[in-house]
Amino acid sequence: MLKYEFDWSVVTSGQYYDWIVSGLYLTIQLSAVSIVLAFLLGLLIAVMRMSSVKPVKWIAHGYLEFFRNTPLLVQIFFWYFGSYKILPQSVNDWLNSTNFEFAAAVIALTIYTSAFIAEDIRSGVLSIPKEQMEASRSGGFSYLRSMQYIILPQAVRITIPPLIGQFLNLTKNSSLAMTIGVAELTYQARQVEAYTFKGFEAFTAATLVYVALSIIITALVTLYSKKVLHRTG
Amino acid sequence: MIRFEGVHKWFKKLHVLNDIHLHVKQNETVVVCGPSGSGKSTLIRTINRLEPIDQGKLVVDGFDLTDRSFDINKLRAEIGFVFQQFNLYPHLTALKNITLAPIKVRGMARKEAEDLATALLERVGLAEKRNVYPAQLSGGQQQRVAIARGLAMKPKIMLFDEPTSALDPEMIGEVLAVMRHLAHTGMTLVVVTHEMGFAREVADRVVFMDHGAILEEATPDEFFLNPQHDRAKQFLKQILTPMHCEM
């Protein structure tokens, strides 16, 4: 019979609680920055993918195939351990003086997730009736302006449910940043476990925080889409 | 204003426009009619190059549409287009549907564009609907907003592609009233329609098409009272049965 003394106080107060909270803050920062960047990059890649200019289309297609089909962890390692080998010394010095772990994690999460977001948005665009483009072109809008003002705003509204899924994936995937030493939530929970051997409490706390975070993200995006974008349903 | 000279167009093997010659003068209202599949929608869509032509010459407001070097968006800004299915932007209110192009394409100040849109909404009888989304409007109301959207660009030409065909009968009148008013203000109009009452009353000329060709081009009186072509006689007989008593 297992003898395990539960001690929830390690994660509800004191120094270890502070570690968990600081991990939460970093997870929020990492996720928030990456979500915004991944969404913008996803829009760009989606538009490039639908371009009638062949080379532009091919670049976007290559980007999608490449980044969707490699593991996120490999991409994180590539940006963190691999990229500086090919960068000039001055750039590396500057990177080392900054929080390069954080930056590498943001780059990897952004690029990886943008590939999925681009495909979601593209399927949203394909579901907009072609008459919308005809109407906007007839009004004197260029192709790109039509995309910007008429097509993409509608496509994004349709794409909200899968987008929420991508945002949640990104937030959960941000835990992989611990592997390059970003002291986010999972990293800190691991630390607490290492110092206290209270693994059950530490990871239960981390789990609950991720659940709460996911629910909050879903609620915020849903609220935004209803109140600001006037999305129904 | 609009001049077709020997225009041809094919969809694969289908000859949708066959040797079209047509001249629409400034301030003129031309109604295009004919059975479905006769090419009348394609004809009107070539005028702003939603459909490019394959052969011949088409000059609109001084621009040769077969010339690929000029900016088509400039010309399109001068041509209002009203669709059968309205095609309002569903994510924008009635007001924003109207102000979007003036602000973004013409560079008009927001305040000025909103004043203009408000005036246009009043003109089409929908002043109280300015902040309503298209889904909350009836078909007839949506089409009137669509007309206001076209007019907001202060176009030189307005094109109507079966503007009342998707409407319930009781809403057709309100849209035709707006178009009638436009014709009287001296706007250049090309209207594809089955509304023969409108054609007879408002058109300067009626063009009858079948199988991609213009079979008849005449004043409304000539066309309705004395159609020359057998196909036109047959078409009029079918469309002017007692069911359609607006004559």
Side-chain angles (χ1 to χ4, degrees), chain A residues 132 134 136-138 149 230, chain B residues 45 48 76 88 91 133:
Chain A
Q132 286 291 311
E134 287 183 352
S136 61
R137 294 308 302 271
S138 297
Y149 296 119
H230 297 280
Chain B
R45 287 162 62 91
N48 74 347
R76 282 174 175 161
L88 291 179
H91 62 301
Y133 286 86

Side-chain angles (χ1 to χ4, degrees), chain A:
Chain A
M1 190 63 194
L2 248 170
K3 279 270 189 218
Y4 185 78
E5 298 266 327
F6 287 102
D7 180 6
W8 291 102
S9 68
V10 297
V11 290
T12 55
S13 61
Q15 187 196 359
Y16 303 126
Y17 166 81
D18 291 343
W19 286 4
I20 296 280
V21 170
S22 83
L24 169 63
Y25 278 136
L26 205 50
T27 290
I28 291 174
Q29 284 175 27
L30 194 55
S31 305
V33 173
S34 303
I35 282 173
V36 172
L37 293 179
F39 177 67
L40 295 176
L41 193 57
L43 278 177
L44 177 69
I45 301 294
V47 172
M48 287 173 65
R49 177 82 174 79
M50 291 177 289
S51 168
S52 56
V53 185
K54 289 267 164 61
V56 173
K57 190 176 176 158
W58 291 334
I59 289 170
H61 202 162
Y63 178 99
L64 288 170
E65 292 305 337
F66 191 80
F67 290 109
R68 282 199 308 168
N69 294 330
T70 42
L72 175 57
L73 190 56
V74 174
Q75 291 184 34
I76 290 175
F77 285 164
F78 174 81
W79 296 111
Y80 187 62
F81 297 115
S83 67
Y84 77 92
K85 306 257 185 198
I86 55 166
L87 292 173
Q89 189 59 41
S90 55
V91 176
N92 280 326
D93 290 344
W94 177 77
L95 284 174
N96 288 329
S97 71
T98 63
N99 190 345
F100 183 49
E101 293 80 15
F102 185 82
V106 166
I107 291 169
L109 283 168
T110 296
I111 289 177
Y112 180 77
T113 313
S114 72
F116 292 92
I117 288 179
E119 283 297 83
D120 286 343
I121 289 174
R122 188 170 73 100
S123 70
V125 168
L126 292 178
S127 71
I128 305 295
K130 68 173 191 339
E131 286 79 10
Q132 286 291 311
M133 183 57 99
E134 287 183 352
S136 61
R137 294 308 302 271
S138 297
F141 288 97
S142 68
Y143 174 79
L144 285 177
R145 293 287 173 206
S146 299
M147 275 288 172
Q148 181 183 357
Y149 296 119
I150 290 112
I151 307 300
L152 285 177
Q154 293 183 54
V156 168
R157 281 166 173 79
I158 291 176
T159 316
I160 293 284
L163 277 182
I164 289 177
Q166 299 301 350
F167 295 165
L168 297 184
N169 277 338
L170 187 152
T171 305
K172 291 176 290 177
N173 285 339
S174 73
S175 60
L176 290 175
M178 73 169 286
T179 58
I180 54 170
V182 178
E184 45 67 66
L185 183 57
T186 308
Y187 180 98
Q188 295 290 18
R190 180 87 181 74
Q191 286 281 95
V192 173
E193 191 268 340
Y195 276 73
T196 64
F197 298 108
K198 293 293 175 195
F200 187 87
E201 290 85 341
F203 288 111
T204 300
T207 303
L208 292 178
V209 171
Y210 277 117
V211 170
L213 209 50
S214 295
I215 290 171
I216 290 168
I217 290 170
T218 305
L220 285 179
V221 177
T222 307
L223 200 67
Y224 179 81
S225 72
K226 285 214 169 113
K227 295 290 170 196
V228 183
L229 302 180
H230 297 280
R231 184 177 189 275
T232 50

Side-chain angles (χ1 to χ4, degrees), chain B residues 46-81:
Chain B
T46 59
I47 296 172
N48 74 347
R49 210 161 80 189
L50 276 181
E51 303 286 355
I53 63 171
D54 293 326
Q55 213 184 86
K57 197 168 175 194
L58 173 52
V59 180
V60 180
D61 192 26
F63 290 100
D64 180 353
L65 289 196
T66 51
D67 173 8
R68 287 272 160 182
S69 65
F70 77 96
D71 182 5
I72 186 71
N73 298 321
K74 286 241 164 61
L75 176 62
R76 282 174 175 161
E78 305 297 333
I79 305 175
F81 199 108

